[in-house]
Amino acid sequence: MTFDQEVHPRIEFSNNPLKVVVVHIKFPPLYGLTEPASLATFQAALGHQYPTALPRFPQVTVALGPGGVADTSVATGPVRFAREDGAWLINIATDSISLETTGYDTWANFRAHFEELVAAIPEGLRPARATRVGVRYVDQIQAQGVITPSDWRQYIEPSLLGPQDSLIFDEHLI
């Protein structure tokens, strides 16, 4: 996987608005990826950075049909490891891996962490292909005196805030 297709220079903000950054790769299921031996390989490679094993939460799927509940299944959630400060988290599932941080500073640093995670996938369990690759950035911006959504009109291009008759501009919404 390569990220070397950038054509624009990177801009670094002195006050970073990114609160959470996540990269997630989905691939066809590799059932051995969450077996103890594979997880031990991850821990050997990344345990110095992500020493805290977090609880696995069950994932419940409910299928609804015309007659109500058609099917229910419970699966074990991803294996999760975190840094001691909690700012970086990796998730390992049979069909995906992800890296999440609330401590994003630069793309180069985030990319290095992600490449290290990908390199830690056990040799015999590397996915042949990815079915989806996604990067999410969650921004938070604040401005003095902004209380309601309509207060943002002076700071943000109006078309990004939605139609003028949208309920988002209701003065009761804070």
Side-chain angles (χ1 to χ4, degrees), residues 74-95:
V74 178
T76 305
V79 175
R80 303 175 317 136
F81 297 104
R83 284 197 160 178
E84 288 184 10
D85 64 4
W88 291 80
L89 175 73
I90 58 175
N91 291 290
I92 304 164
T94 57
D95 64 350

Side-chain angles (χ1 to χ4, degrees), residues 58-63 69-76:
Q59 295 179 330
V60 179
T61 304
V62 178
V69 176
D71 186 33
T72 303
S73 65
V74 178
T76 305

Side-chain angles (χ1 to χ4, degrees), residues 111-122:
R111 175 182 167 169
H113 281 81
F114 183 63
E115 287 175 342
E116 190 173 35
L117 171 59
V118 170
I121 297 174

Side-chain angles (χ1 to χ4, degrees), residues 48-66:
H48 63 287
Q49 288 191 62
Y50 304 92
T52 306
L54 300 173
R56 294 175 80 173
F57 296 110
Q59 295 179 330
V60 179
T61 304
V62 178
L64 299 175

Side-chain angles (χ1 to χ4, degrees), residues 6-18 104-108 137:
E6 298 180 29
V7 294
H8 300 288
R10 293 251 166 220
I11 299 171
E12 292 183 24
F13 297 101
S14 58
N15 186 10
N16 186 0
L18 296 173
Y104 183 93
D105 54 2
T106 65
W107 170 250
Y137 297 93

Side-chain angles (χ1 to χ4, degrees), residues 1 3 22 25 35 40 75 83-85 92 111 122 128 135 165:
M1 174 170 292
F3 292 105
V22 180
I25 296 182
E35 293 295 319
R83 284 197 160 178
E84 288 184 10
D85 64 4
I92 304 164
R111 175 182 167 169
V135 180
D165 60 349

